[in-house]
Amino acid sequence: MRPRIVIAEDESITRMDLAEILTEAGYQVVGQAADGFDAIEICKRQKPDLVIMDVKMPVMDGLQATENIMEENLAGCVLMLTAYNDGEFVNRANDLGVMGYLVKPIEEKTLLPAVKIALRRNQEMHQYKSKVIEVEKKLEERKCIERAKGILMKKDGFSEEEAYAYLRNISMKKRCNMGKIADMIIRSTI
């Protein structure tokens, strides 16, 4: 599936040039905006993989729009595009978590590598977040099992090994995850 990109740039010629470069490179441009407000609205509808966002735009600037997009998780990542190489803009963009910062004028030879890297880094971040969620879930399940073992040890006088074996046996007999069995035991004592 081709990566989906939204372009937010108030200069229509620049916006069209970017769209042409990206389309010819095999990307899917799913929306174009002339201001930050419209960029947010397009992102709400399209959920793009990447937003190329100009900093200075009317109605709502790119930094404000990026903040909203990032807070609401409306796009995979944002690549800032600006004529300003000011440290304040760079620092604010960095604080917002953008994947890159390109200074105009933009050429194909600088745009395409930046887009490719931003998309790849976003994919890696998504994988890391998924792994963290999985590890947190396993940790919570482990805590639940430990708590259920403690309840069984106290209530039925089991040793730790016996309590674990009891949980495992019920899990196998009922063909149910041990964490769910442990949760049911905990709930039954509340």
Side-chain angles (χ1 to χ4, degrees):
M1 192 166 160
R2 297 184 312 163
R4 299 162 40 84
I5 299 175
V6 167
I7 301 168
E9 163 64 59
D10 62 331
E11 297 175 17
S12 60
I13 293 173
T14 303
R15 199 170 53 242
M16 289 187 312
D17 287 345
L18 291 171
E20 184 179 337
I21 291 168
L22 293 165
T23 302
E24 287 177 5
Y27 297 106
Q28 185 179 4
V29 176
V30 294
Q32 297 183 38
D35 62 63
F37 182 82
D38 288 346
I40 292 168
E41 293 304 308
I42 292 169
C43 288
K44 284 180 180 177
R45 290 190 308 273
Q46 296 293 332
K47 300 285 189 182
D49 300 302
L50 172 70
V51 179
I52 298 176
M53 180 77 72
D54 189 13
V55 171
K56 290 285 189 179
M57 292 186 289
V59 183
M60 179 187 288
D61 74 31
L63 293 170
Q64 291 171 316
T66 296
E67 186 172 4
N68 286 323
I69 289 167
M70 300 300 272
E71 283 177 1
E72 295 181 36
N73 199 27
L74 300 177
C77 61
V78 176
L79 187 61
M80 296 305 295
L81 173 68
T82 184
Y84 304 93
N85 195 11
D86 183 290
E88 178 186 338
F89 292 124
V90 173
N91 290 337
R92 179 113 187 269
N94 189 41
D95 291 344
L96 293 173
V98 302
M99 288 289 184
Y101 193 92
L102 293 170
V103 180
K104 295 177 189 176
I106 299 299
E107 296 178 13
E108 183 175 346
K109 66 182 180 181
T110 56
L111 175 65
L112 295 180
V115 167
K116 184 176 183 177
I117 289 170
L119 288 167
R120 179 67 179 142
R121 292 297 164 263
N122 180 59
Q123 183 181 35
E124 289 171 357
M125 290 292 287
H126 182 72
Q127 290 171 345
Y128 292 140
K129 285 178 184 177
S130 295
K131 286 180 183 179
V132 166
I133 290 168
E134 183 180 325
V135 167
E136 287 174 346
K137 184 178 175 184
K138 285 182 180 179
L139 179 61
E140 285 304 312
E141 184 177 282
R142 189 72 214 149
K143 286 179 185 178
C144 189
I145 290 169
E146 290 300 316
R147 191 168 167 206
K149 282 184 353 187
I151 290 168
L152 291 171
M153 289 165 61
K154 185 176 181 180
K155 184 178 124 206
D156 296 331
F158 288 154
S159 69
E160 185 174 355
E161 293 80 20
E162 290 170 333
Y164 185 80
Y166 179 80
L167 288 170
R168 189 180 63 229
N169 278 343
I170 293 176
S171 173
M172 290 181 347
K173 284 179 184 175
K174 301 295 183 185
R175 296 182 184 206
C176 184
N177 176 293
M178 260 179 82
K180 289 182 182 179
I181 299 295
D183 186 55
M184 288 189 291
I185 289 170
I186 293 168
R187 289 177 191 265
S188 71
T189 62
I190 296 176

